[in-house]
Structure formats: C-alpha cells, structure tokens
Amino acid sequence: TLDPANGVAVSLAEGVVRVQQVVGWSYSVIGEAAKTWTVGTDYRCRVRVSGSTVQARVWAASAAEPSTWDVTGTTTVTAAGYYGFWVGCGSAAAAQTASFDDITTA
C-alpha cells in the first residue's frame, strides 16, 4: 500500500515547484524553484527518483518537454515501487480542476 506518512512529495503551488521529503507526516523541503502558472493552461510534470536523488520539471502541455530539471533534491527516505497522487487547493476558488493522464512508470 502507499504510505503517505513517509516518502517524497512534489507540489505545484504558490508560484513554486517544491520537492519535499515526508518522514512521520513531517514535511521538509529538499528543493524548490519559482514558476509562473497561467490560469487555463494545462501543464505536464515529470518526476524522477534515482537512489536518493529526486528531480522534477514542469512545463506547459503545449510546449516541448525541457531537457533540464526545475528542481533537484536529495532525500533520506527510501521506498520501493509505491507512488500516488494527491490534489488539494489552498484557496477558496469556486471551481478548480485537476486531472491525471498518461501516467507511466519506468
């Protein structure tokens, strides 16, 4: 099962791409980068975990995938084969949509 109390979290919010490690429900930032989000624009996100290195990049779905990573961090959390998705909204916006598509694991 997915253990949400321990692992790595990637968030896209508040003008930031943020990578955090989670240990016993306690979040600590291991990397972040400023991003500008445009309302009504679809985005793609790629996350790579290799050993203790976590990398993430985000780009507009209408553009080509960039070759560089927005964020690189090092985690002490180890997990094998589990991942999941969580969507939340920290604002009182009336209508927000999040969808996941074309999810692949390699």
Side-chain angles (χ1 to χ4, degrees):
T1 60
L2 177 64
D3 179 2
N6 299 286
V8 174
V10 177
S11 65
L12 317 174
E14 303 166 349
V16 175
V17 176
R18 182 174 292 122
V19 177
Q20 300 172 87
Q21 72 175 12
V22 187
V23 178
W25 296 101
S26 179
Y27 287 69
S28 59
V29 176
I30 59 174
E32 66 182 13
K35 288 297 260 191
T36 301
W37 311 115
T38 303
V39 173
T41 299
D42 291 334
Y43 291 92
R44 294 180 185 236
C45 177
R46 182 177 303 270
V47 178
R48 178 168 69 181
V49 180
S50 178
S52 62
T53 302
V54 181
Q55 296 174 298
R57 61 180 163 225
V58 182
W59 67 98
S62 61
E65 180 175 355
S67 60
T68 58
W69 296 97
D70 292 319
V71 179
T72 298
T74 302
T75 182
T76 59
V77 175
T78 57
Y82 299 112
Y83 63 90
F85 300 92
W86 177 84
V87 176
C89 176
S91 68
Q96 300 210 11
T97 302
S99 59
F100 301 99
D101 193 6
D102 300 328
I103 298 165
T104 59
T105 302

